[in-house]
Amino acid sequence: MARSEDKQWMPDEVDPTGPNLARVYNAIGGGTHTFGADREMANQLLTVQPELAYWVRTNRAFLARSARFVFEAGIRQVLDVGAGLLAPGSVHDIAAQVAPDARVLYLDVDPVVVAQANEILRDQPLVSAFRGDLRNPAEVVRLASEAGLDFTRPVAILLVAVLHFVQDSDDPEGILARLRDAVPAGSYVVISHASRPPQLTEAGVQAEREYSERTAPVALRTREQVERLFEGWDLLEPGLVQPPFWRPEPEDLVEPAEVERAKGTPAWVGVAIKR
């Protein structure tokens, strides 16, 4: 996939001269739907926090493992909220391998994400992308229902690397409660949430501040705060852990150095079911 400088896929309302939340994340992960401003911001963040690329990779690996898990558990409807720019190994790719009859709906507040997804998904009738705001869960459920999700049957709601952009004033615990109430027993929720990086330098603090000011404010939460988001759900083994430690593959975390590196991942993840 070529870099985004041709702009053919991008909505007219989008300004390519400033960094964009989804595109910066895409650039850190080695993606190509980016502009110069996105890559500049990504490089600035990587300069002061080189482990950031590793953290992005571990988060995407968790997304793939958790998506495979819910499909293998029998889920055939997935709502990926705050999906970000699609990359190889996205949820619909996992579905194609494990559950080709599954319906996957990507929902994001960012028009860049929706435009890129719809460009990629033109010929996939069971996969689609729509614009919606997680902070309005009733609207999210309405849009998902209109797109073909049946909320009388179990749904997996994926909230991967999105809730740390929901401020406390927007009541993230209330948002999760309303989404939980909208789905039947047997549904799943998948969450990954950033926390404060260890040993953050002053330069790192400044880069984080600039990132928040130029893209979107970030609400980094502790393990205890993330755990409260699962209230009313039954958190599955291994519970709330850092991304590399959620049901790793046998070949993962083999060397002691890998384990130590994984322990520094500033994020908490978990998968829960509604009983």
Side-chain angles (χ1 to χ4, degrees):
M1 186 179 297
R3 290 195 185 276
S4 295
E5 269 76 8
D6 60 17
K7 304 183 179 64
Q8 292 178 3
W9 62 277
M10 192 177 63
D12 293 338
E13 65 193 274
V14 173
D15 177 12
T17 63
N20 165 273
L21 185 68
R23 297 195 310 261
V24 171
Y25 183 88
N26 186 258
I28 292 170
T32 55
H33 264 92
T34 61
F35 295 104
D38 310 308
R39 297 190 290 276
E40 180 181 354
M41 174 62 74
N43 289 335
Q44 181 181 347
L45 292 168
L46 288 166
T47 297
V48 297
Q49 198 62 268
E51 286 289 271
L52 189 56
Y54 169 75
W55 299 339
V56 168
R57 287 198 303 274
T58 63
N59 185 69
R60 289 201 60 82
F62 163 71
L63 170 64
R65 294 197 305 276
S66 59
R68 180 177 293 273
F69 170 81
V70 298
F71 286 131
E72 291 179 344
I75 291 294
R76 291 299 179 267
Q77 302 186 105
V78 171
L79 174 59
D80 189 347
V81 181
L85 290 167
L86 301 187
S90 291
V91 177
H92 69 283
D93 294 322
I94 305 299
Q97 300 168 12
V98 183
D101 58 332
R103 179 174 291 279
V104 176
L105 174 62
Y106 294 111
L107 191 140
D108 203 288
V109 71
D110 190 338
V112 171
V113 168
V114 176
Q116 184 251 18
N118 284 328
E119 177 194 26
I120 292 172
L121 303 171
R122 288 176 187 165
D123 301 320
Q124 301 198 43
L126 292 178
V127 189
S128 55
F130 291 85
R131 192 174 180 185
D133 192 332
L134 175 59
R135 292 169 295 183
N136 186 347
E139 178 75 356
V140 167
V141 172
R142 183 185 67 80
L143 288 170
S145 180
E146 291 177 354
L149 293 194
D150 179 359
F151 282 90
T152 68
R153 296 169 48 234
V155 177
I157 301 174
L158 310 188
L159 299 164
V160 177
V162 63
L163 285 165
H164 44 255
F165 297 112
V166 176
Q167 303 303 301
D168 291 342
S169 58
D170 293 315
D171 187 18
E173 292 177 40
I175 291 171
L176 264 295
R178 286 186 282 276
L179 290 175
R180 184 192 67 230
D181 291 344
V183 298
S187 295
Y188 291 82
V189 66
V190 176
I191 293 176
S192 78
H193 195 300
S195 63
R196 179 68 57 185
Q199 302 175 334
L200 193 62
T201 64
E202 182 57 37
V205 171
Q206 177 58 37
E208 180 186 291
R209 184 180 302 117
E210 183 176 348
Y211 174 74
S212 293
E213 290 172 352
R214 297 184 67 189
T215 57
V218 179
L220 300 176
R221 296 186 171 95
T222 65
R223 186 184 189 281
E224 292 72 23
Q225 290 172 319
V226 176
E227 191 167 26
R228 287 200 290 270
L229 298 174
F230 286 96
E231 185 175 350
W233 300 85
D234 188 355
L235 196 60
L236 303 177
E237 291 293 332
L240 192 62
V241 295
Q242 291 159 302
F245 297 103
W246 194 89
R247 305 194 181 200
E249 302 296 338
E251 65 272 16
D252 296 338
L253 304 177
V254 174
E255 300 297 330
E258 292 180 81
V259 176
E260 288 305 309
R261 189 183 195 192
K263 287 179 179 178
T265 309
W268 298 103
V269 306
V271 176
I273 190 170
K274 179 177 178 178
R275 299 294 187 184

